[in-house]
Structures are given as C-alpha cells and as structure tokens.
C-alpha cells in the first residue's frame, strides 16, 4: 500500500519489515511516533503501546501534531 496523503516516505529500512516494501501509513506513523518518543526520552508502559497503535491510525497531520508536541516537550526538559 502506498503512503497516505501527507505521510512521508521513510528513507531508511525498518528492522522487522521486508526490505524494499513500502510502509502502510499506519506503519510509517508508528515508526515516527516511536522515534519521537525515544528522542523525548519517554519510557513506554504496556498501555502506551496500545495508545501508539491508536494514534498511528490517525491521519498524518494529527500524528505530526503529536510528534511536534513530543519534540517541544523534549526541548523544554
């Protein structure tokens, strides 16, 4: 499946996924969210994983807003 409207194509391979296979929008969003959470130093609880799955299903502008919020939060820490 090709990326959805506004979803960026990830320029790097993602461990655990077949090389060269394009990511579905929710997969790309999940990777971006995990990267933002890692950069912000957020340790995930088991419940957080379900929240990430739920947020990843949203459109890219909504996901990008969450990522922006995480980045701003990390910058203030």
């Amino acid at each position: 499946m090709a990326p959805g409207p506004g979803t960026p194509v990830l320029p790097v391979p993602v461990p655990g996924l077949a090389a060269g296979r394009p990511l579905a929008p929710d997969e790309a969003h999940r990777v971006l969210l995990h990267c933002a959470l890692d950069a912000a130093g957020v340790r995930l609880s088991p419940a957080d994983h379900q929240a990430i799955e739920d947020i990843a299903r949203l459109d890219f502008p909504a996901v990008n807003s969450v990522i922006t919020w995480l980045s701003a939060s990390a910058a203030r820490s």
Side-chain angles (χ1 to χ4, degrees):
M1 177 174 3
T7 301
V9 176
L10 297 178
V12 296
V14 178
L17 297 176
R21 180 178 75 77
L23 297 176
D26 62 325
E27 292 173 318
H29 297 168
R30 191 169 35 258
V31 170
L32 292 169
L33 287 163
H34 278 286
C35 289
L37 288 162
D38 285 346
V42 175
R43 297 186 72 163
L44 300 177
S45 72
D48 293 335
H49 291 282
Q50 184 58 52
I52 291 168
E53 293 295 321
D54 294 341
I55 294 168
R57 288 188 203 100
L58 300 173
D59 64 5
F60 180 70
V63 172
N64 195 48
S65 292
V66 172
I67 291 168
T68 300
W69 175 73
L70 286 167
S71 298
S73 175
R76 282 187 243 131
S77 297

